[in-house]
Amino acid sequence: KCLRVRQCDDTSRPPATISQYWLTNVEEGQYVAPAQATNATICYTSEGLTIHEYATDNNAFTPFTTCNSYVWQDGSALEMMIFPVKTPFDVPEFYYEIDMAPSGATFGSMIFNNKGNVTNCNTCVAKQLDCTGACTFPSIPQLQLSADYDLSNNGTRVGWHTSRHLPFSMFYELKDTTKLFKFNLYRYDYPWGRDQGYELSGYSPTWNPSFHIPSRFA
């Protein structure tokens, strides 16, 4: 997949839109729609990338309120993996994982994955990012993150949304040398209730229970 991202202030054209996520843990090559829909928009400014996700959800919940909680373990979660590459054929070994819960609690980490085919960052170190509160990461002060529930007119939760602004400065030595990014978006969802198991979906399906399949990054 190749997604052409436009400037956020370009009012003549809409931002790049992802209108469909697909189940990830199904047989390879199958594209199966999940029980509940997710969509996203992506645009850029001179400072960085802005990604908004919108999840229809009749049972959104999370027990987590603080950063670097494992928000995917027991609750609704929207995950993102992303890092720049030099060519469309590069499969990155290093990439950021930025996972969010409806409360705004965010897990942030630099990942090293030997399933990649290129060492795309010579100065990266695989580790969780230091953080405070729900979603503040002092080492990346321009990283702006937020999430909240969406309510119907009678106050019933009908979904939730996230906003991520990723400054180009967080992408190490590649920040000024490429306009290409590899990324994927994923979702943990409990459409039948928190005691009935979860459903896994993503923009580019991994066809695997794991989301960490960089060869499937778009």
Side-chain angles (χ1 to χ4, degrees), residues 98-170:
I98 303 173
D99 307 339
M100 303 192 70
S103 63
T106 302
F107 174 86
S109 183
M110 173 63 74
I111 302 295
F112 174 79
N113 190 332
N114 61 12
K115 294 177 182 177
N117 67 8
V118 61
T119 301
N120 56 311
C121 182
N122 295 319
T123 54
C124 291
V125 177
K127 64 176 182 177
Q128 287 188 23
L129 306 178
D130 293 337
C131 69
T132 62
C135 56
T136 298
F137 294 86
S139 64
I140 312 174
Q142 293 177 303
L143 178 62
Q144 300 173 21
L145 305 165
S146 64
D148 205 351
Y149 295 100
D150 298 320
L151 305 179
S152 67
N153 291 335
N154 65 7
T156 302
R157 290 178 181 174
V158 294
W160 62 290
H161 60 271
T162 65
S163 177
R164 301 176 179 90
H165 178 74
L166 312 182
F168 291 131
S169 59
M170 69 189 284

Side-chain angles (χ1 to χ4, degrees), residues 3-105:
L3 192 67
R4 185 178 296 276
V5 177
R6 301 186 176 101
Q7 287 185 293
C8 298
D9 59 1
D10 183 356
T11 57
S12 66
R13 297 178 294 178
T17 300
I18 295 169
S19 58
Q20 179 69 62
Y21 286 27
W22 304 99
L23 294 183
T24 62
N25 53 335
V26 296
E27 185 176 344
E28 184 170 348
Q30 291 189 347
Y31 287 84
V32 181
Q36 300 189 121
T38 317
N39 59 76
T41 62
I42 305 177
C43 61
Y44 73 91
T45 68
S46 59
E47 287 81 30
L49 296 169
T50 297
I51 303 97
H52 298 291
E53 286 184 281
Y54 308 90
T56 301
D57 201 327
N58 60 16
N59 192 49
F61 72 97
T62 183
F64 303 109
T65 58
T66 57
C67 61
N68 282 349
S69 301
Y70 291 174
V71 295
W72 62 89
Q73 283 195 341
D74 182 28
S76 308
L78 290 169
E79 302 193 1
M80 182 176 199
M81 319 292 181
I82 187 169
F83 213 79
V85 293
K86 292 182 178 179
T87 80
F89 307 103
D90 291 350
V91 179
E93 291 183 332
F94 283 101
Y95 52 88
Y96 283 109
E97 177 178 359
I98 303 173
D99 307 339
M100 303 192 70
S103 63

